[in-house]
Amino acid sequence: MTDQTTEQETEMSEHGPVPWAELATDPATIERYQAKLHHRGPDACAYWTGAISSSGHGKLRAGSRSSGSSRVVTAHVLGYVIAHGSAALSEGHVVRHVCDESSCQQPAHWIAGERVDNIRDYYARAHRAGHALGDVRGPDGRAVAIRDAILAAQATGADVEAAIAVAIAAGNPSGSVQDTLF
Ligand SMILES: [Zn+2]
């Protein structure tokens, strides 16, 4: 799993620890989150179409300035607490992607785990031909390419799925086929 940074656990941002319980139930935050999702069905990766961090994770500003809760958070962590409640996010745990797509917002592709699990998965999978973790652009380059392909296709009325396929293939110059993970 691509979460090699410490950004999830250390999201202190502007004003102390992230108030996940408040953010997870804030209607304006939920609306802003959902507006940046690209859904493709109940099992497929749901790509983030907003800001992407250097680690390939979706980012957005959550909360409200008037209540002092406004801060930039990691999109899939926010999505996790919206889906499962903030109590499901144990201290010291990260939200991992079983699909290894760092910008994916498909709840079925998330699992809470420990950092050591991420590292173990990374070394087990990164060498696989055509795998997301082997993308020559890195997780951020891959996530940005997929996002931009979706937005460009939507803007021009082109086939979004075809655009995603081209964007993914571009990170794998060897042409090998992506492994099936499930
Ligand atoms: Zn996924």
Side-chain angles (χ1 to χ4, degrees):
M1 321 231 162
T2 55
D3 305 321
Q4 295 293 301
T5 70
T6 59
E7 67 182 275
Q8 284 184 31
E9 297 122 299
T10 57
E11 270 184 336
M12 304 294 282
S13 70
E14 296 106 305
H15 308 289
V18 178
W20 288 118
E22 179 184 338
L23 298 181
T25 55
D26 174 43
T29 293
I30 295 170
E31 189 178 330
R32 254 197 321 278
Y33 172 74
Q34 293 178 336
K36 297 293 185 183
L37 304 183
H38 177 65
H39 286 292
R40 305 160 61 230
D43 301 318
C45 287
Y47 293 109
W48 184 248
T49 62
I52 302 286
S53 77
S54 60
S55 56
H57 295 122
K59 289 283 184 180
L60 78 158
R61 179 162 285 280
S64 67
R65 286 188 168 86
S66 58
S67 78
S69 62
S70 175
R71 67 202 60 223
V72 174
V73 299
T74 299
H76 73 276
V77 182
L78 177 64
Y80 185 87
V81 296
I82 289 173
H84 301 292
S86 60
L89 191 63
S90 306
E91 186 152 351
H93 278 193
V94 294
V95 180
R96 309 159 65 211
H97 286 97
V98 295
C99 59
D100 292 320
E101 294 285 0
S102 53
S103 70
C104 178
Q105 308 297 321
Q106 168 60 261
H109 293 181
W110 296 328
I111 182 172
E114 297 186 31
R115 174 158 307 285
V116 65
D117 298 326
N118 269 348
I119 295 169
R120 190 186 307 125
D121 287 344
Y122 180 84
Y123 286 110
R125 295 179 185 169
H127 69 281
R128 292 188 190 172
H131 192 276
L133 297 180
D135 194 302
V136 297
R137 299 163 295 191
D140 54 337
R142 179 183 181 91
V144 166
I146 293 170
R147 176 198 66 191
D148 290 351
I150 292 169
L151 295 176
Q154 287 175 337
T156 59
D159 184 334
V160 175
E161 281 301 307
I164 291 171
V166 168
I168 288 175
N172 176 30
S174 73
S176 302
V177 180
Q178 163 113 22
D179 287 352
T180 300
L181 292 177
F182 306 102

